[in-house]
Amino acid sequence: MSFDSLGSPRERRAVGTVERPGPAEPLDLLGRVPYGRLATSMRALPFLTVARHIVSDGHILLRMHRGFGHHEACDGSVVAYGADNYNDAASGDGGNLWSVQFTGPAEIAQLCPEQEELFGAAPVSVNGEPYAPAYLRVDPHFVTEHRLDF
């Protein structure tokens, strides 16, 4: 089967993907939890790391430890960032679980003091080393949302 026989992009739908006019609802969900996971590759190997996030002007801003160099590996690359409420039994969502994932280009960001303040307190250390923040801006191009209703 050729790709052309699948129809136009407007006719194709990814399995498990909630298509919306914009990522407003998934971005709102992201605001309910403070941390998520960033996925990309470093030296041709995939990796997953934890990051603190905020939403600002339709972008996802991430704070992570500078010491690992993950922010540099992501700069100029397409990354995936996901968060969920799976570990939050008292999520306030009536027992329903959700997961959101955003895929798009990332770039190292210089934040204004007001944006840095929105992240709240930073960890004191990471693996015994003093925490040094680095920031990324992710422009979400592809958004998925999954819900498990109970």
Side-chain angles (χ1 to χ4, degrees):
M1 172 190 293
S2 76
F3 186 74
D4 293 334
S5 67
L6 296 175
S8 74
R10 290 186 185 268
E11 295 170 346
R12 292 190 302 264
R13 298 179 92 85
V15 175
T17 299
V18 176
E19 294 187 11
R20 302 189 187 292
E25 187 174 338
L27 286 174
D28 290 342
L29 289 173
L30 193 63
R32 296 181 187 183
V33 295
Y35 286 88
R37 289 159 298 283
L38 174 70
T40 192
S41 62
M42 189 172 189
R43 293 188 279 286
L45 297 172
F47 76 87
L48 191 65
T49 190
V50 67
R52 172 76 167 95
H53 61 259
I54 63 170
V55 177
S56 179
D57 297 326
H59 292 91
I60 301 162
L61 300 178
L62 304 177
R63 180 180 71 189
M64 63 190 64
H65 179 52
R66 176 178 302 277
F68 298 136
H70 295 158
H71 64 295
E72 293 170 338
C74 295
D75 190 31
S77 297
V78 173
V79 301
Y81 186 74
D84 57 60
N85 71 341
Y86 294 168
N87 290 327
D88 188 5
S91 67
D93 291 329
N96 295 328
L97 301 175
W98 54 263
S99 171
V100 293
Q101 180 178 317
F102 304 86
T103 304
E107 62 184 3
I108 293 175
Q110 302 299 320
L111 305 186
C112 67
E114 294 81 15
Q115 289 171 319
E116 286 183 22
E117 191 174 303
L118 291 173
F119 279 100
V124 174
S125 65
V126 175
N127 296 344
E129 296 180 18
Y131 183 82
Y135 299 96
L136 284 176
R137 176 180 292 109
V138 178
D139 183 18
H141 286 203
F142 183 72
V143 179
T144 58
E145 174 185 340
H146 303 282
R147 292 180 179 267
L148 299 173
D149 296 324
F150 293 90

